[in-house]
Amino acid sequence: MTSPARGRAGCAVAAPFAFLGSIGVVAELPNVRNVLKRNDVDWLTFTAGKYKRTVTVFGENTDEAKAKFQSDIDSIHTAFKEHVHTARGAQLQIDEVATGEAWLALRCKELGLVDDLGTADDVILQKAEEGFDVVQLAPKARPRPFPWLSGVSDAVDELRATVTAALSAIPWGATGLDPTGRTLSERVPHGSVRTDADAVDARDDSVSYR
């Protein structure tokens, strides 16, 4: 079942259990001035410009400095609210949601922060049904810095496969040993004998991201 809301440009879709909101600004820092003072340590700060340094971790924070810092935080919050309000339109009561709180997507839909509920797979499937092309992007393989190492790696893989095949061909049950060197009595203390499945050494060929 498709959703008409998802067809609009700029439509915001969120998974039902997504946590959204947090339209607020926070800043905090410790102040160790008293610790330094008790240990006879002076912290010197040199600035050019009245408000180049407002609050500080090491020095004294005056009321004027704290008020300026709070003013800067409020300005950022105002810009944040205006951006969200412009993007979401009149359907959003910005003062109701710009409290720094966060909600589950179901509540966000009621508040106007999102238009519809669904996962990324839901949206992709709907677009495919509507005739859009679905394009999967894959990272481009990086060239190896030392190409000759690929030959060494291949040789190691081949050797490992040969050793694994040779070990698998040995009738371990007849020898009373397993590839780890333990006897059957060591593996099964109560004397019952069982046959272990052959271990398969599978190499992970997935792409790693750094």
Side-chain angles (χ1 to χ4, degrees), residues 58-174:
F58 301 105
E60 179 182 3
N61 291 316
T62 65
D63 290 341
E64 181 184 11
K66 288 184 283 188
K68 179 63 172 70
F69 192 77
Q70 183 61 56
S71 175
D72 293 340
I73 294 295
D74 292 338
S75 296
I76 297 171
H77 190 212
T78 298
F80 193 174
K81 291 193 297 182
E82 291 175 352
H83 177 75
V84 174
H85 194 228
T86 299
R88 297 303 300 156
Q91 62 184 332
L92 184 70
Q93 299 297 322
I94 189 62
D95 290 330
E96 184 179 356
V97 299
T99 59
E101 298 172 84
W103 305 270
L104 287 172
L106 182 62
R107 176 59 176 154
C108 288
K109 185 179 179 183
E110 298 172 355
L111 293 171
L113 283 169
V114 298
D115 300 302
D116 197 11
L117 302 179
T119 64
D121 287 347
D122 294 333
V123 176
I124 292 173
L125 288 173
Q126 177 176 331
K127 292 301 181 182
E129 292 172 357
E130 293 173 358
F132 288 87
D133 293 329
V134 178
V135 180
Q136 183 177 8
L137 302 179
K140 184 178 180 180
R142 296 181 179 179
R144 296 186 179 185
F146 304 103
W148 55 269
L149 285 178
S150 60
V152 176
S153 178
D154 292 341
V156 171
D157 290 341
E158 183 178 352
L159 176 62
R160 180 170 55 182
T162 302
V163 172
T164 300
L167 291 175
S168 299
I170 297 175
W172 297 107

